[in-house]
Amino acid sequence: MDALTDLLDGPRARGAFMLRASLSPPWSVRIQDEAPITLMSMVRDDAWVIPDRGEPQRVSPGDMVIFRGPDPYTVGDDPATEPQIIIHPGQRCSTPDGTSMSEAMDLGVRAWGNDPDGSAVMLIGAYQMRGAVTQRLLSALPPIAIVRGDTWKSPLVDVLGEEIGKDEPGQDVVLDRLLDLLLIATLRAWFSRPDAETPGWYRAHGDTVVGPALRLLHDDLSHPWTVADLASQVGVSRAALAQRFAKLIGEPPMSYLTGIRLAQAADLLRESDATLESVARQVGYGNAFALSTAFKREHGVSPQEYRTGLAG
């Protein structure tokens, strides 16, 4: 298993918010739903994405945009168009003065907008998840990441466009899985750009020493790893691995391992009802007390407080 797979394997889409938006100008939508990740694919016409901090950027048909939450942003036909609709948490939409627009903008099954024949069409998928593994991925992304259509093409966009309006048994699960696949494809394209500022763990997978070491760690978090053990497995000296790992990843091997163990523990607390003792064993801690001590040092709350907080 590689680091990207590990980051995406836990927090899969579950009941993601999906829609096809059709809009006629002038239009402008302010999104403040606090979704941790939103994907937007321009299907027809151009649009502008306008962050609260930073310059507006034009997006065209074929472009894919990743919005990293929870910061708000605006999407419109022109940067000068004032927002007419605000998207709130829970995907509630209103005018800026608070008047509900949920019914007025409903155009059918997962269809939304001010005109069913609008010139601007986009596909939107918003993850509702939150969890520490996701946060490690989010920290590697800018607030807005745009993959240009002339640099990549994925058949998944067309498949999603065909499926998004269907109202069939199990359709939510189909759309969730399509969104996961599209996110992975988009991330690959984003991290593979020639000028990409990719995280160390992504670049290091091509390294002949650190790449295998990373895969070993992610494959078996419960193993009682030491630097010496890891170095022996990849066929280099302890000093050589430690030096190369820190240079490429930005932290020592055991520090990195602690980070992914605690992130995985947080994800297990969020996604399952496993006991703390079971979670501790799964992520390489000898007992619940050892995990609790490390977890509180990292997150500032106990595992139980973390789980209760998410539930609430």
Side-chain angles (χ1 to χ4, degrees):
M1 182 183 293
D2 59 57
L4 182 58
T5 299
D6 200 15
L7 288 170
L8 293 169
D9 188 53
R12 297 184 183 92
R14 289 177 176 83
F17 177 75
M18 310 280 289
L19 59 79
R20 178 186 180 95
S22 303
L23 298 150
S24 288
W27 62 272
S28 181
V29 181
R30 178 163 175 80
I31 295 91
Q32 50 190 47
D33 61 356
E34 301 180 5
I37 296 180
T38 298
L39 287 179
M40 184 184 82
S41 173
M42 264 338 270
V43 176
R44 195 169 69 217
D45 212 350
D46 289 351
W48 289 82
V49 295
I50 306 126
D52 281 10
R53 295 183 293 274
E55 295 298 316
Q57 299 185 68
R58 183 192 293 271
V59 291
S60 302
D63 292 350
M64 180 67 68
V65 188
I66 304 176
F67 297 98
R68 184 198 70 193
D71 293 345
Y73 54 91
T74 301
V75 182
D77 69 314
D78 188 280
T81 303
E82 290 293 322
Q84 303 135 342
I85 300 293
I86 298 176
I87 307 298
H88 303 275
Q91 304 306 324
R92 179 177 61 86
C93 63
S94 73
T95 61
D97 66 6
T99 302
S100 175
M101 293 295 290
S102 296
E103 185 173 340
M105 302 291 282
D106 187 351
L107 300 179
V109 177
R110 300 186 193 88
W112 182 92
N114 62 12
D115 182 354
D117 301 311
S119 59
V121 176
M122 62 201 77
L123 303 178
I124 299 165
Y127 282 72
Q128 305 300 309
M129 64 192 179
R130 53 183 175 145
V133 174
T134 305
Q135 189 57 47
R136 288 175 67 85
L137 173 61
L138 294 180
S139 66
L141 294 170
I144 296 176
I146 302 176
V147 178
R148 298 298 179 183
D150 58 0
T151 65
W152 87 305
K153 183 168 178 61
S154 172
L156 293 168
V157 176
D158 292 336
V159 175
L160 181 61
E162 293 175 4
E163 293 287 339
I164 203 166
K166 293 181 180 179
D167 187 17
E168 299 180 2
Q171 194 64 16
D172 287 345
V173 176
V174 170
L175 293 172
D176 282 349
R177 297 294 75 77
L178 280 173
L179 183 60
D180 288 337
L181 291 170
L182 190 55
L183 174 61
I184 293 169
T186 307
L187 289 170
R188 283 175 174 169
W190 173 257
F191 288 140
S192 298
R193 294 170 303 122
D195 58 344
E197 295 183 5
T198 54
W201 51 259
Y202 190 89
R203 296 192 305 272
H205 277 285
D207 185 80
T208 56
V209 172
V210 180
L214 282 173
R215 284 187 283 276
L216 285 167
L217 293 177
H218 283 273
D219 276 343
D220 192 358
L221 287 181
S222 64
H223 184 81
W225 293 107
T226 65
V227 178
D229 185 19
L230 198 59
S232 174
Q233 293 270 7
V234 298
V236 297
S237 69
R238 180 183 183 281
L241 174 63
Q243 182 180 25
R244 196 173 185 90
F245 198 103
K247 180 180 179 180
L248 291 178
I249 302 296
E251 59 183 322
M254 294 301 101
S255 174
Y256 178 85
L257 177 60
T258 297
I260 59 175
R261 279 174 167 169
L262 293 176
Q264 185 63 36
D267 204 50
L268 288 168
L269 290 167
R270 178 178 65 90
E271 297 290 345
S272 75
D273 58 1
T275 65
L276 187 56
E277 194 72 33
S278 173
V279 171
R281 288 196 301 272
Q282 289 183 64
V283 300
Y285 283 88
N287 53 55
F289 178 78
L291 172 60
S292 294
T293 301
F295 193 95
K296 189 165 187 176
R297 186 165 53 242
E298 174 72 14
H299 293 282
V301 294
S302 70
Q304 184 59 42
E305 290 170 329
Y306 182 85
R307 174 176 268 170
T308 302
L310 287 176

